[in-house]
Every structure is written in C-alpha cells, then in structure tokens.
C-alpha cells in the first residue's frame, strides 16, 4: 500500500513536472535573474540595450537605398505606427505563405521599399532596428498566434520544441517545461519566454537575437544549430511567442 | 562618436550628494583575443575616464583590460554650485570624447 501510494505520488510529480507551466505560473526570464541584473534592465540609463535602441532610432530616421527613403518617411513616428507591432510577430505573410519574424519583416521593407542591400543577421544595424521597433511595444502583452493560418506552423514549432536532439539527447521541453527553476551549472533554467528580444546578454557583452540565443541552447546539447533565418527558427519562435501569450514585452531585455 | 547615455540630475540642493552615471558604447577589446585568422586583435580599451565640475576634476579612473564592453561608470560628487559637469574619456586609438551636462543647484542647503 505504502509502495503504491509513493509511486502514485511520483507519477503525479512527474506529470506536474512535464506539464507546460500553467497560465498563472508563467514567468519571464527576468524573474529568474539576480537583483543587480534586474536593476540594470529596469533603469534605462543603465540598460546597455538602450544604446542599441538609440542607434535604431537614428537608423529609423536615416534615408537609405536607391529609393532614398527612411523608415520614418513612410511610417512616421514609431511610437504610434510601431506600437504593438512586435507583440504580433512572427506573423503570417501572404506572399511567403508562411510566418515571418520581425527581423524578416524589417528586411522586407529594406529590400522592397528602400531598395537597399540586406543587413546581415546579427549585424548591429539589424539588431538596432529590431530593438527600436520592439521597444515601442514594451509593456504590451504578447498576442502572437491569433491568426488561424498560423496553426500548422505553431504545431510544427511545438514538434521541434519537444523533439530530442544532439549528442546529449535533450529536447527544449526537457529543460524549459520539466526543469525550469532548477540550476544548470551556474545558470537558472528559465521557462524560455522570448519576451525581451533582441536582448543585451552579459555573457556576449553585446546585443543578440532570439535566434542567437536558441543556437546557444542547441550547441549546449551538442546539436547542430539551425541556420539564421531558417524556417525552423521561425517556427520555434512562433511556438515560443504563442506559449508566452499575455506576458508583457520587455525589449531591450538584459540577460546573464 | 560613440553612443553614450549620461545621467546627471538636472537640479540639486547645495551640499547634496548626487549620483552621476555614464554608459559608454565601446568594444573594450582586451588585446588577448585572437581573430578568425589566428592573429591577435589589438588592444582597444578606454584607459582613462575623468569628470570635471566647473573645470575642477572631481573623479577620475584608470581602466584596464578586464573591464566589460560598453562600460557603465557611476560615482557621486557633492553639488556645490550651478554649472557644468563634463565627462571625458580616451581610448587606445587616441580618441577622446567629452559629454557635458548642466546642473542647477538651489540656494537652500540640504538640512
């Protein structure tokens, strides 16, 4: 009897552990950081990500490309025109018949509307534009995933999130659903909500995109990371953003 | 010119201890790293930072390679009179940048 009860208890614990963090218990990576790092993110004059946001503001107002137009020429004041935009990405693109990320959307405008050469993934300029646009949604809840056309792509992202990979044979869910709050070496395992991107990561001493962050996690389990701009990255991001629905955006987040 | 965020209180009481903050975008290349070609990346750090208050130096620091990229420097000084606070720093390439801010100090001393 005693044996039965304890194995049942173990099964219950296992179930609770593997279940997705419930709506009421979803926490941003911010909540797992030390008070000093939290203070750094919270103070706009101490948050190094704000340097990139300010660079983005300059770029927003600078004409570029053969069209010689600035983002502001078409979109005006970003505080109004870009407010809430980042809360809906990745979103469905009619031409691509697939979801695209905010970075891809910005690159589209740069190619089609400004007729300018593309910005490289992880280049300071792309990160700055992305940080500036996403910053206009700081404090607003994530809304990604409402469009029914996205459903198959969200499912695909969930698939990627739960599939084991790498020499260490871990899925994302093994860490971020089943073991969040526990430690991996010196780091606390967060729930993997992508609410602060692009972030300033202290380990990088630089800004970086969500894709760079995910590539770090994939390399961590000795898997071959997906390429920048690959459909797998977009699907994972789409799934993660849908999973984070309702949490406020923080861009620019600071992470250890 | 490097992007910076300078934070000096616009107003203060006479005798008040005020906090001054500077966040400076700089690679702070240590000189110990190698590039993809295996060659050493030359050191490029801010090695000197100083603050003057109406021309008089109130804070200075020598910086070394262990300091992070985009350094954040904070210190305090005593608000004596209205005037200008100037922050300046020099890196290994010989670039010197100066940023200034005005501070207005009220007549009433802090109790």
């Amino acid at each position: 009897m005693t044996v039965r009860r304890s194995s049942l208890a173990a099964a219950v614990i296992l179930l609770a552990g593997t279940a997705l963090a419930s709506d009421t218990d979803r926490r941003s990576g911010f909540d797992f950081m030390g008070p000093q790092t939290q203070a750094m993110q919270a103070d706009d004059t101490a948050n190094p990500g704000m340097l990139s946001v300010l660079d983005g503001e300059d770029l927003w107002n600078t004409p570029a490309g053969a069209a010689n137009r600035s983002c502001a020429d078409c979109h005006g004041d970003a505080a109004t025109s870009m407010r809430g935009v980042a809360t809906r990405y990745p979103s469905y693109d009619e031409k691509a018949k697939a979801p695209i990320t905010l970075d891809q959307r910005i690159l589209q405008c740069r190619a089609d509307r400004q007729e300018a050469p593309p910005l490289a993934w992880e280049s300071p300029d792309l990160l700055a534009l992305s940080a500036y646009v996403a910053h206009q949604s700081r404090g607003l809840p994530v809304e990604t995933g409402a469009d029914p056309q996205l459903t198959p792509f969200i499912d695909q992202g969930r698939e990627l999130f739960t599939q084991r990979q790498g020499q260490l044979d871990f899925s994302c869910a093994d860490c971020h659903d089943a073991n969040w709050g526990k430690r991996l070496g010196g780091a606390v395992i967060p729930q993997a909500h992508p609410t602060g991107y692009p972030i300033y990561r202290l380990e990088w001493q630089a800004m970086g995109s969500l894709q760079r962050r995910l590539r770090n996690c994939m390399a961590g389990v000795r898997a071959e990371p997906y390429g920048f701009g690959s459909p797998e990255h977009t699907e994972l991001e789409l799934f993660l953003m849908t999973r984070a629905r309702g949490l406020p955006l923080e861009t620019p987040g600071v992470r250890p | 010119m490097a992007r910076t965020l300078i934070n000096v209180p616009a107003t203060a009481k006479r005798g008040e201890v005020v906090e001054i903050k500077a966040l400076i975008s700089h690679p702070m290349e240590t000189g110990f790293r190698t590039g993809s070609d295996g060659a050493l990346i030359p050191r490029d750090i801010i090695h000197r930072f100083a603050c003057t208050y109406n021309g008089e130096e109130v804070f200075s620091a020598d910086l070394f390679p262990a300091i992070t990229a985009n350094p954040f420097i904070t210190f305090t000084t005593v608000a004596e009179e209205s005037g200008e606070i100037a922050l300046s720093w020099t890196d290994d390439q010989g670039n010197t940048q100066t940023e200034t801010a005005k501070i207005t100090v009220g007549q009433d001393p802090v109790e």
Side-chain angles (χ1 to χ4, degrees):
Chain A
M1 191 62 207
T2 333
V3 176
R4 265 235 197 107
R5 203 183 296 134
S6 63
S7 64
L8 185 71
V12 169
I13 289 166
L14 204 73
L15 261 178
T18 45
L20 189 72
S22 70
D23 270 14
T24 47
D25 205 10
R26 282 183 312 164
R27 295 184 217 164
S28 158
F30 180 89
D31 299 334
F32 299 100
M33 308 194 305
Q36 296 87 347
T37 319
Q38 289 184 339
M40 187 187 275
Q41 174 172 324
D43 176 355
D44 278 350
T45 62
N47 181 339
M50 286 306 291
L51 297 168
S52 176
V53 169
L54 293 174
D55 285 345
E57 182 176 18
D58 273 1
L59 290 167
W60 178 266
N61 292 303
T62 309
N68 197 31
R69 316 219 26 201
S70 70
C71 317
D73 285 341
C74 294
H75 292 290
D77 183 2
T80 347
S81 66
M82 291 293 133
R83 187 180 152 80
V85 167
T87 66
R88 298 188 293 270
Y89 275 77
S91 72
Y92 190 77
D93 184 62
E94 293 295 344
K95 264 179 281 164
K97 299 260 177 290
I100 58 168
T101 63
L102 183 62
D103 283 9
Q104 285 169 323
R105 193 69 192 77
I106 291 170
L107 288 173
Q108 252 180 24
C109 266
R110 196 170 152 84
D112 303 346
R113 313 271 172 187
Q114 292 185 310
E115 297 164 51
L119 299 169
W121 300 114
E122 300 304 298
S123 61
D125 283 4
L126 182 56
L127 289 167
L129 276 170
S130 178
Y132 180 64
V133 170
H135 182 62
Q136 310 307 321
S137 300
R138 185 164 69 171
L140 300 179
V142 173
E143 290 176 13
T144 306
D147 182 348
Q149 288 170 289
L150 292 170
T151 310
F153 300 97
I154 298 171
D155 291 344
Q156 190 56 37
R158 183 182 296 107
E159 191 90 348
L160 295 172
F161 191 76
T162 49
Q163 112 197 336
R164 286 159 174 270
Q165 56 176 328
Q167 287 179 326
L168 300 188
D169 203 26
F170 271 114
S171 73
C172 316
D174 286 338
C175 283
H176 293 296
D177 280 347
N179 284 299
W180 64 263
K182 296 188 193 148
R183 283 182 172 274
L184 183 73
V188 182
I189 302 176
Q191 294 180 353
H193 297 302
T195 45
Y197 288 80
I199 55 164
Y200 189 91
R201 191 167 178 215
L202 301 177
E203 185 184 313
W204 297 332
Q205 301 190 33
M207 290 296 278
S209 71
L210 178 63
Q211 301 198 0
R212 182 172 179 192
R213 171 65 257 188
L214 300 189
R215 284 169 60 90
N216 280 187
C217 277
M218 290 179 242
V221 296
R222 300 194 204 141
E224 167 120 26
Y226 305 127
F228 285 106
S230 65
E232 287 88 351
H233 264 305
T234 308
E235 287 156 5
L236 261 178
E237 176 169 345
L238 176 63
F239 169 71
L240 290 176
M241 281 292 273
T242 308
R243 181 170 163 272
R245 222 173 334 187
L247 292 177
L249 281 190
E250 300 162 42
T251 311
V254 175
R255 293 292 181 269
Chain B
M1 284 243 287
R3 169 81 59 194
T4 53
L5 278 166
I6 304 296
N7 191 353
V8 175
T11 57
K13 289 188 174 144
R14 191 149 46 84
E16 189 179 340
V17 174
V18 291
E19 188 174 26
I20 296 171
K21 305 193 240 181
L23 178 60
I24 307 167
S25 98
H26 198 281
M28 296 296 277
E29 191 57 61
T30 61
F32 298 122
R33 299 196 312 154
T34 49
S36 48
D37 59 355
L40 218 54
I41 306 171
R43 190 183 108 158
D44 179 20
I45 65 168
I46 293 169
H47 58 259
R48 179 78 184 167
F49 176 95
C51 170
T52 60
Y53 186 174
N54 285 340
E56 189 195 333
E57 188 167 291
V58 291
F59 176 87
S60 73
D62 291 324
L63 285 77
F64 296 92
I67 291 174
T68 168
N70 309 314
F72 180 52
I73 299 171
T74 73
F75 52 94
T76 55
T77 190
V78 179
E80 299 287 5
E81 58 199 42
S82 298
E84 188 181 82
I85 294 207
L87 306 171
S88 67
W89 56 93
T90 306
D91 69 16
D92 290 338
Q93 304 204 354
N95 300 313
T96 296
Q97 186 169 340
T98 303
E99 296 284 330
T100 58
K102 292 259 177 280
I103 183 164
T104 304
V105 176
Q107 286 311 303
D108 299 332
V110 224
E111 283 121 51

